[in-house]
Amino acid sequence: MTFEDYGIRLPGRASGQVNTQCPECSSHRKKKKAPCLSVNADEGVWLCHHCGWSGSLKKGPDDISNVLHWRKPTYHKPEPLPAVDLSPEVMDWFLNRGISAETLKENNISSKKVYMPQTESLEDSIAFPYYKDGELINVKYRDGKKNFRLEAGAQRIPYGIDDIIVSDEDATARSGWSVIVEGEIDKLALWEAGIKNCISVPDGAPPPNSRDYSSKFEYLNGNWTKGIGKFILAVDNDEAGKKLEDELSRRLGREVCYKVDWPEGCKDANEVLVKYGKSILIECIDHASPYPIEGTYNAIELSDSINRLYDSGMDQGVSTGWSGLDPLYLVRPGALTTVTGIPSSGKSNWIDAMMVNIAKSDGWNFAIFSPENQPMEDHMARVLEKYIGAPFNDGPQIRMSKEELEHGKRWLSKHFTWILPHDDKEWSIETILKAAQSLVLKKGIRGLVIDPWNELEHMRPNNQTETEYISICLKRVRQFARKAGIHIWIVAHPAKLYRDKNGKVPIPTPYDISGSARWRDKSDNCITVWRDLSVDSGAVIEIHTQKVRFRQDGRIGMSELAYNWSTGTYHELNKATEEIPPKYGV
């Protein structure tokens, strides 16, 4: 095979690295001649920096549609940066920001002419190399118009990860803790001040109004955070920076995070260096304050948080996906919801459908402990039905296509993780919360389902009543939810209920749950899922909100949903139950 077989046009006798047009995307863009495709003519490989199309003469182009999300990813390795002297203009640019030539040399700052998607042309750019264990993993480029891009297809890691030293051998390295900043320039500013135990996030802060930004934190995966007992969050003093700070502290654990307050009129570390010098920048880092999670506080200490509530309103949860239910129940991070209902009422199915709604609309990631839903592949298939809106198997409705199945598996892998015991190991509430804490860091989960409560291993001390035991367990779960910033649902079965003279089973309440009335006392929200089993179809599902602790999250009431048996989906009752749900959007 040759490059021309794939539509890649190169000049005669091309060798080394060549930039040319991409046959996959260039013809569809305004600047059709923009050289966005990088080709290594010697090694026979290519990569488009605009659309991501890549491949090799040996194996052909990568078929992205067949790459499942949960397979171990393969990353593009950047070409070594050229050893060039920075131009006088670039040197002056850095000097105006307080960054010396020595710091630039120590951090291997270079320059290169690269393709910028924002301008669709080659631009002279500053190159910030990302190393890990001494190997070049990625490069971020910045042109004169403040456009940025990382190497397409390369692994995203923190900038300066090799500078983190957690051993006690070098006392000057401030071992055991690290500063996290929002950009490469801030990292260099701290280096200039002598604080080298610092990293920068690779993608900056998520936009203030963004919802699905979990992929921006994949760089937290791996073992580099181990051994660090203190993280100083020195991010930008703006709305996006606050969002970054909140997510970092949630994932890393607020008990090990400290916040930096910049001087009046300064947004970041580099501005402090320029305006006030190295000593003040060092002082800001050394006086970082613990993240407020426990103890005593006053209104002045929480002034910024109170002002945000005043300006933006009380924090509300996200929509369940059903407009008729939203006035009664919103899903807010940091809360505990107990869900009950008689057998076959659809408790688990309803929670699954709600999680799919929230993942689609708000980008949340979830963890599920559901040993009753076995085998696990069956449970995944039922969740896929809710996402695709078509049956998994043949039936009255047309089943999902193979293409829809592949798309759905990648989406499901991104947003859902199952927690399951291995080798018949018994799982306690502490074991599940420990697994959930790991998933908060690695996948940024916002929701956890424990379904059902009675499947857990309960080791109640002999001198403790069941009421006392449940009270302690639920208090622990609720504390974890608030600390980790996730919503937790616990499915708990009621005690046996008896039919009335008309053959109907009464609607259970939290007080009917086996074990204790503490279920209502300790939960933030209590919900009962109920359907009339005396009716053959049972297609109308009632969602009863029987306790809502915070008024901004809802109120006591009942909402009805129509159930589609073919797909396991729920719809507003004023829509026809026979209506085929819309397909997913790509």
Side-chain angles (χ1 to χ4, degrees):
M1 300 294 286
T2 67
F3 285 111
E4 288 206 358
D5 292 327
Y6 297 107
I8 300 173
R9 298 184 181 277
L10 300 179
R13 297 183 179 180
S15 63
Q17 196 76 13
V18 181
N19 294 318
T20 185
Q21 290 80 42
C22 175
E24 291 292 308
C25 70
S26 291
S27 61
H28 308 307
R29 307 204 317 272
K30 290 182 179 180
K31 297 185 179 181
K32 301 181 185 299
K33 295 184 179 181
C36 55
L37 186 74
S38 292
V39 181
N40 190 309
D42 298 335
E43 297 183 9
V45 296
W46 66 86
L47 173 68
C48 178
H49 298 291
H50 190 275
C51 68
W53 183 58
S54 63
S56 69
L57 295 181
K58 291 182 180 179
K59 298 182 179 180
D62 295 334
D63 185 357
I64 298 175
S65 65
N66 289 329
V67 180
L68 298 183
H69 185 83
W70 53 78
R71 290 179 183 170
K72 185 177 181 179
T74 57
Y75 296 109
H76 161 72
K77 291 291 181 66
E79 294 289 327
L81 290 171
V84 298
D85 293 328
L86 297 176
S87 68
E89 292 79 12
V90 171
M91 293 297 295
D92 288 342
W93 185 86
F94 276 110
L95 286 173
N96 289 333
R97 284 158 179 76
I99 310 299
S100 67
E102 183 180 3
T103 290
L104 299 177
K105 182 178 180 180
E106 290 173 342
N107 286 274
N108 298 311
I109 306 302
S110 182
S111 64
K112 187 178 179 181
K113 200 176 188 70
V114 297
Y115 172 80
M116 277 291 177
Q118 297 91 334
T119 63
E120 296 193 345
S121 61
L122 292 172
E123 303 286 353
D124 290 319
S125 304
I126 300 169
F128 299 91
Y130 282 58
Y131 293 99
K132 183 179 181 182
D133 298 327
E135 182 182 9
L136 185 63
I137 301 297
N138 209 327
V139 183
K140 180 177 279 189
Y141 301 101
R142 170 181 175 146
D143 67 12
K145 301 174 184 176
K146 208 177 179 180
N147 293 315
F148 297 87
R149 82 162 176 86
L150 288 157
E151 282 281 346
Q155 184 181 6
R156 278 165 162 72
I157 63 173
Y159 176 63
I161 194 170
D162 277 357
D163 299 324
I164 297 177
I165 302 173
V166 297
S167 70
D168 294 327
E169 296 176 1
D170 186 359
T172 63
R174 300 178 183 234
S175 57
W177 63 274
S178 176
V179 182
I180 301 180
V181 295
E182 196 171 320
E184 293 80 8
I185 300 298
D186 293 325
K187 153 77 173 170
L188 297 180
L190 287 171
W191 186 285
E192 190 73 28
I195 301 176
K196 300 182 178 181
N197 206 24
C198 170
I199 60 169
S200 169
V201 300
D203 290 312
N209 297 323
S210 61
R211 291 185 173 182
D212 187 359
Y213 51 82
S214 58
S215 61
K216 290 181 71 69
F217 292 87
E218 290 179 352
Y219 57 83
L220 293 175
N221 294 347
N223 296 323
W224 68 268
T225 59
K226 292 183 178 180
I228 301 178
K230 179 180 178 181
F231 294 92
I232 296 178
L233 308 183
V235 297
D236 289 5
N237 183 26
D238 56 19
E239 191 174 354
K242 295 299 182 185
K243 194 179 190 75
L244 174 63
E245 180 187 276
D246 182 68
E247 187 67 11
L248 284 173
S249 66
R250 186 179 77 85
R251 291 185 180 224
L252 296 170
R254 290 189 169 99
E255 69 278 5
V256 295
C257 289
Y258 289 69
K259 300 195 300 181
V260 171
D261 291 323
W262 302 121
E264 187 72 27
C266 292
K267 188 186 77 168
D268 53 35
N270 187 235
E271 285 194 8
V272 176
L273 176 65
V274 172
K275 291 183 178 181
Y276 298 105
K278 300 177 185 179
S279 61
I280 298 299
L281 179 55
I282 295 172
E283 187 176 325
C284 289
I285 300 301
D286 286 344
H287 288 82
S289 57
Y291 209 94
I293 57 171
E294 60 183 358
T296 60
Y297 310 97
N298 59 49
I300 298 301
E301 292 172 333
L302 299 180
S303 177
D304 290 344
S305 299
I306 294 173
N307 289 341
R308 283 198 295 272
L309 288 179
Y310 181 82
D311 295 335
S312 306
M314 299 289 285
D315 291 337
Q316 283 190 317
V318 299
S319 169
T320 61
W322 301 291
S323 58
L325 179 59
D326 285 345
L328 306 180
Y329 177 62
L330 294 173
V331 181
R332 184 163 55 86
L336 166 64
T337 296
T338 295
V339 179
T340 191
I342 59 177
S344 301
S345 58
K347 303 180 292 295
S348 303
N349 208 24
W350 173 74
I351 293 176
D352 288 348
M354 180 171 51
M355 287 191 293
V356 169
N357 291 345
I358 296 172
K360 289 169 68 175
S361 63
D362 292 272
W364 280 27
N365 293 343
F366 298 91
I368 302 174
F369 174 81
S370 186
E372 282 191 345
N373 281 299
Q374 294 294 312
M376 196 159 41
E377 295 87 337
D378 288 3
H379 192 190
M380 292 178 179
R382 293 196 296 274
V383 177
L384 282 171
E385 289 181 327
K386 294 170 175 56
Y387 172 62
I388 301 296
F392 191 81
N393 298 315
D394 287 322
Q397 282 185 221
I398 300 175
R399 71 186 303 194
M400 65 182 70
S401 67
K402 194 71 173 179
E403 292 75 17
E404 290 172 327
L405 174 62
E406 293 302 318
H407 170 86
K409 285 191 292 186
R410 291 193 296 273
W411 180 88
L412 191 67
S413 179
K414 176 183 178 182
H415 292 287
F416 289 81
T417 301
W418 272 259
I419 299 172
L420 198 65
H422 295 293
D423 302 325
D424 297 325
K425 178 183 176 182
E426 294 289 347
W427 280 55
S428 66
I429 191 64
E430 287 297 332
T431 310
I432 293 176
L433 296 184
K434 182 178 180 180
Q437 180 64 67
S438 177
L439 291 172
V440 169
L441 170 64
K442 295 182 177 181
K443 302 204 71 171
I445 62 169
R446 282 286 186 180
L448 168 66
V449 174
I450 301 173
D451 178 15
W453 174 259
N454 66 292
E455 282 288 336
L456 294 175
E457 179 185 15
H458 297 295
M459 296 178 290
R460 176 165 59 93
N462 293 331
N463 62 346
Q464 195 175 78
T465 67
E466 187 173 23
T467 296
E468 291 171 337
Y469 171 75
I470 291 176
S471 178
I472 292 172
C473 286
L474 295 183
K475 179 181 179 181
R476 174 74 181 93
V477 171
R478 192 173 67 182
Q479 286 175 338
F480 177 81
R482 293 176 178 174
K483 173 186 170 184
I486 67 173
H487 195 106
I488 299 180
W489 292 268
I490 296 180
V491 176
H493 298 314
K496 186 174 182 179
L497 299 172
Y498 297 94
R499 298 177 183 269
D500 62 18
K501 62 182 180 181
N502 298 317
K504 289 188 176 183
V505 177
I507 299 169
T509 73
Y511 294 113
D512 295 314
I513 297 176
S514 297
S516 171
R518 290 293 177 266
W519 287 101
R520 190 189 187 285
D521 299 340
K522 294 295 183 179
S523 300
D524 295 304
N525 312 292
C526 295
I527 290 177
T528 294
V529 178
W530 188 85
R531 66 187 180 94
D532 191 349
L533 297 179
S534 65
V535 179
D536 290 338
S537 66
V540 176
I541 309 296
E542 295 179 3
I543 308 299
H544 294 259
T545 55
Q546 297 174 325
K547 177 187 177 182
V548 180
R549 185 183 300 276
F550 302 107
R551 64 176 182 271
Q552 66 266 31
D553 293 337
R555 55 184 172 82
I556 295 175
M558 186 272 286
S559 178
E560 294 181 326
L561 299 172
Y563 182 62
N564 185 320
W565 289 94
S566 297
T567 59
T569 52
Y570 297 82
H571 309 282
E572 307 290 348
L573 192 59
N574 59 358
K575 295 181 180 180
T577 57
E578 296 81 16
E579 183 183 76
I580 298 177
K583 295 290 184 181
Y584 64 86
V586 178

